[in-house]
Amino acid sequence: MKLLEGKNVIITGASRGIGKGIAETFAEHGANVAFTYSSSEGPALQLEEELKAKGVNAKAYKSNAASFTESADLVSKVLEDFGGIDVLINNAGITKDNLLMRMAEEDFDTVIEINLKSVFNMTKAVQRTLLKQRKGSIINMSSVVGVKGNAGQTNYAASKAGMIGFTKSVALELGSRNIRCNAIAPGFIETEMTAKLDEKVVQGWREGIPLKRGGTTEDIANACLFLASDLSAYVTGQVLNVDGGMLT
């Protein structure tokens, strides 16, 4: 059963990691996927071909979600290329970790701009289309760090916590038009980035998780699949922790 047959989806920051996993899962469920990348053109174009091989329309766009103008231009291009938008996944994000006493102002501002301002930019850009058709699903990729905080990540935690407040507010504003807005808060997800860490450190994190393992990109993609599909038609304004029980 394909849960997203014929739906048009935008995913920001999908050339690798969690975004790539979401794009692959959505394509397998029949969604046409428009996704963005910032610098990894080779992997992005490769992913585009892989998605098309699944029998759906797919296209990679080089676009900076932190730019209000580029976000608006992206949405216009997607509407022209795909004919509509049903789902937006705000996944673009970065980290620039440091203790507060050592954190540069630029590092704080950059993380807020890319992680949080991008959510405003993209949501604002698709809002008119979703309002006109009186339906749609917006999914914002937050983090358990945005729920509980984390030493050395004041900028990242602030951006992800802000995303949760934004999500709940948009859900209240757009719910009467059948537009849903939810957030996902991933825990420790094992990706290409975590593979570079010391195995002893990674194992220590796993032992602190009730399910005794790190999450996979598929775990996050399946949560997105639920929130993007009609299975969650009565779910909005929620934060879904996909963390193996870290916040229990």
Side-chain angles (χ1 to χ4, degrees), residues 180-191:
R180 300 180 294 111
C181 187
N182 294 285
I184 290 176
F188 176 62
I189 307 301
E190 300 195 32
T191 63

Side-chain angles (χ1 to χ4, degrees), residues 24-68:
E24 292 171 337
T25 295
F26 276 33
E28 289 167 3
H29 278 269
N32 300 311
V33 180
F35 67 95
T36 70
Y37 67 96
S38 57
S39 58
S40 305
E41 183 176 25
L45 294 179
Q46 181 178 343
L47 177 60
E48 179 183 299
E49 293 306 313
E50 291 174 0
L51 298 180
K52 287 180 178 178
K54 299 179 186 293
V56 301
N57 188 13
K59 188 168 183 178
Y61 299 83
K62 184 174 183 179
S63 180
N64 177 14
S67 166
F68 186 84

Side-chain angles (χ1 to χ4, degrees), residues 188-199 202 205-206:
F188 176 62
I189 307 301
E190 300 195 32
T191 63
E192 301 97 317
M193 292 178 66
T194 59
K196 299 176 183 178
L197 300 175
D198 185 280
E199 179 58 27
V202 173
W205 286 341
R206 292 188 189 117

Side-chain angles (χ1 to χ4, degrees), residues 186-243:
F188 176 62
I189 307 301
E190 300 195 32
T191 63
E192 301 97 317
M193 292 178 66
T194 59
K196 299 176 183 178
L197 300 175
D198 185 280
E199 179 58 27
K200 290 183 180 179
V201 173
V202 173
Q203 187 57 37
W205 286 341
R206 292 188 189 117
E207 288 302 316
I209 298 170
L211 288 184
K212 302 302 179 186
R213 70 172 179 88
T216 66
T217 56
E218 185 178 8
D219 290 324
I220 305 302
N222 286 337
C224 284
L225 179 63
F226 167 69
L227 292 176
S229 75
D230 292 339
L231 292 177
S232 60
Y234 201 54
V235 179
T236 193
Q238 303 304 303
V239 181
L240 177 57
N241 299 329
V242 186
D243 62 2

Side-chain angles (χ1 to χ4, degrees), residues 5-245:
E5 190 74 55
K7 289 186 179 294
N8 298 312
V9 180
I10 297 179
I11 308 171
T12 63
S15 62
R16 57 187 175 85
I18 290 174
K20 179 181 180 183
I22 297 169
E24 292 171 337
T25 295
F26 276 33
E28 289 167 3
H29 278 269
N32 300 311
V33 180
F35 67 95
T36 70
Y37 67 96
S38 57
S39 58
S40 305
E41 183 176 25
L45 294 179
Q46 181 178 343
L47 177 60
E48 179 183 299
E49 293 306 313
E50 291 174 0
L51 298 180
K52 287 180 178 178
K54 299 179 186 293
V56 301
N57 188 13
K59 188 168 183 178
Y61 299 83
K62 184 174 183 179
S63 180
N64 177 14
S67 166
F68 186 84
T69 301
E70 288 191 36
S71 296
D73 289 344
L74 169 69
V75 169
S76 294
K77 291 175 183 175
V78 172
L79 287 171
E80 183 177 338
D81 295 338
F82 288 74
I85 298 169
D86 300 291
V87 180
L88 167 65
I89 300 180
N90 286 308
N91 174 69
I94 63 167
T95 58
K96 285 185 176 291
D97 299 345
N98 217 330
L99 294 175
L100 179 60
M101 66 175 62
R102 298 174 183 166
M103 185 175 292
E105 179 184 9
E106 180 183 359
D107 289 345
F108 187 89
D109 290 347
T110 299
V111 169
I112 295 295
E113 183 178 53
I114 293 176
N115 294 7
L116 182 56
K117 176 68 169 8
S118 63
V119 177
F120 166 79
N121 292 340
M122 288 299 301
T123 304
K124 181 82 170 176
V126 303
Q127 179 181 246
R128 179 176 296 180
T129 297
L130 301 185
L131 286 170
K132 186 176 181 179
Q133 64 196 25
R134 298 184 71 87
K135 65 176 181 177
S137 176
I138 301 167
I139 304 169
N140 297 322
M141 200 60 62
S142 183
S143 168
V144 293
V145 173
V147 179
K148 72 179 188 68
N150 194 37
Q153 289 191 304
T154 53
N155 51 2
Y156 186 75
S159 71
K160 295 300 184 177
M163 194 180 294
I164 290 172
F166 183 91
T167 296
K168 291 180 175 292
S169 298
V170 169
L172 291 171
E173 288 188 21
L174 304 184
S176 64
R177 298 295 185 91
N178 196 34
I179 299 168
R180 300 180 294 111
C181 187
N182 294 285
I184 290 176
F188 176 62
I189 307 301
E190 300 195 32
T191 63
E192 301 97 317
M193 292 178 66
T194 59
K196 299 176 183 178
L197 300 175
D198 185 280
E199 179 58 27
K200 290 183 180 179
V201 173
V202 173
Q203 187 57 37
W205 286 341
R206 292 188 189 117
E207 288 302 316
I209 298 170
L211 288 184
K212 302 302 179 186
R213 70 172 179 88
T216 66
T217 56
E218 185 178 8
D219 290 324
I220 305 302
N222 286 337
C224 284
L225 179 63
F226 167 69
L227 292 176
S229 75
D230 292 339
L231 292 177
S232 60
Y234 201 54
V235 179
T236 193
Q238 303 304 303
V239 181
L240 177 57
N241 299 329
V242 186
D243 62 2

